[in-house]
Amino acid sequence: MMSACARRSNEEGILVSQDCLDAESKEEVELSEPKETEEIYVQVCGAVKHPGVYSLPQGSRVFQAVELAGGLSKEADAKSLNQAESLSDGQMIKVLTKEEAKALGDGPTNAGSTDDGKINLNTATREELLRLSGIGDAKADSILAWREQHGGFSQIEDLMKIEGIKEGVFSKIRDYVKVR
């Protein structure tokens, strides 16, 4: 048996149903449903009122995640956070306190640091390393020399392989550095 089919579109041009006629019945079949917005999950921590993991629509911005976390706390340094940055799934947003931001310097403006405020040990300049609490001239030079000798850091814990950087210094800077 042959059937005759006609497709219809709604006002927006989206195909919503198909009418097919055969000799015995007329059946309407739903062809497509509205697409659901894809969700992403981000962790908001640090100087916010309600740290946690939040679900947001894809395309959301940092300020929206911070709002879901109850907003910035009184201790937060709003200048250290790019609130207009687009979010991606699995991203962590760490809001620094004014004290933490001061320890890091003026924030993520140079090659070794990034939008998350952490200094990348594999690209940081001497000046950026000097912003870290407990890192002076000698330790900054040692970090750069170790990086050059070993082809870079594979994990932040590699810092403790450098003479003069042990658990005490490492614990002060571990949250402010990363390896990429």
Side-chain angles (χ1 to χ4, degrees):
M1 242 181 224
M2 300 263 310
S3 64
C5 296
R7 294 180 182 207
R8 293 185 292 133
S9 297
N10 66 9
E11 308 81 56
E12 297 151 347
I14 299 171
L15 184 60
V16 292
S17 67
Q18 183 175 18
D19 294 327
C20 294
L21 301 172
D22 62 31
E24 297 179 354
S25 68
K26 176 181 177 183
E27 184 179 338
E28 189 168 302
V29 179
E30 193 68 32
L31 291 180
S32 65
E33 298 176 16
K35 290 185 181 178
E36 291 185 28
T37 304
E38 189 173 326
E39 289 188 350
I40 60 170
Y41 293 89
V42 296
Q43 179 179 357
V44 184
C45 59
V48 292
K49 294 177 183 170
H50 306 291
V53 175
Y54 295 94
S55 172
L56 294 119
Q58 189 168 4
S60 294
R61 305 287 178 151
V62 169
F63 79 91
Q64 293 167 309
V66 170
E67 284 176 4
L68 285 176
L72 299 173
S73 70
K74 289 183 257 180
E75 300 84 26
D77 181 33
K79 296 180 295 183
S80 68
L81 185 65
N82 178 2
Q83 295 192 49
E85 180 183 359
S86 294
L87 295 172
S88 58
D89 190 44
Q91 183 175 349
M92 182 177 80
I93 302 159
K94 181 172 182 1
V95 180
L96 301 176
T97 63
K98 291 172 186 158
E99 186 177 304
E100 290 169 331
K102 185 177 179 184
L104 281 176
D106 291 332
T109 57
N110 296 318
S113 56
T114 62
D115 289 342
D116 62 2
K118 293 186 178 186
I119 293 176
N120 183 343
L121 294 172
N122 288 325
T123 59
T125 64
R126 184 174 191 275
E127 291 73 27
E128 289 169 319
L129 293 171
L130 289 171
R131 287 193 225 152
L132 296 167
S133 179
I135 302 297
D137 293 333
K139 287 179 185 163
D141 291 340
S142 294
I143 291 169
L144 295 173
W146 194 94
R147 180 174 77 193
E148 190 172 317
Q149 283 179 329
H150 296 90
F153 295 88
S154 59
Q155 57 187 6
I156 63 170
E157 288 79 8
D158 287 344
L159 280 171
M160 291 192 291
K161 296 177 181 176
I162 298 170
E163 187 174 332
I165 300 179
K166 298 300 173 217
E167 194 64 42
V169 172
F170 181 73
S171 67
K172 287 181 186 178
I173 64 174
R174 77 177 327 137
D175 293 333
Y176 305 107
V177 295
K178 69 179 182 179
V179 174
R180 201 183 257 181

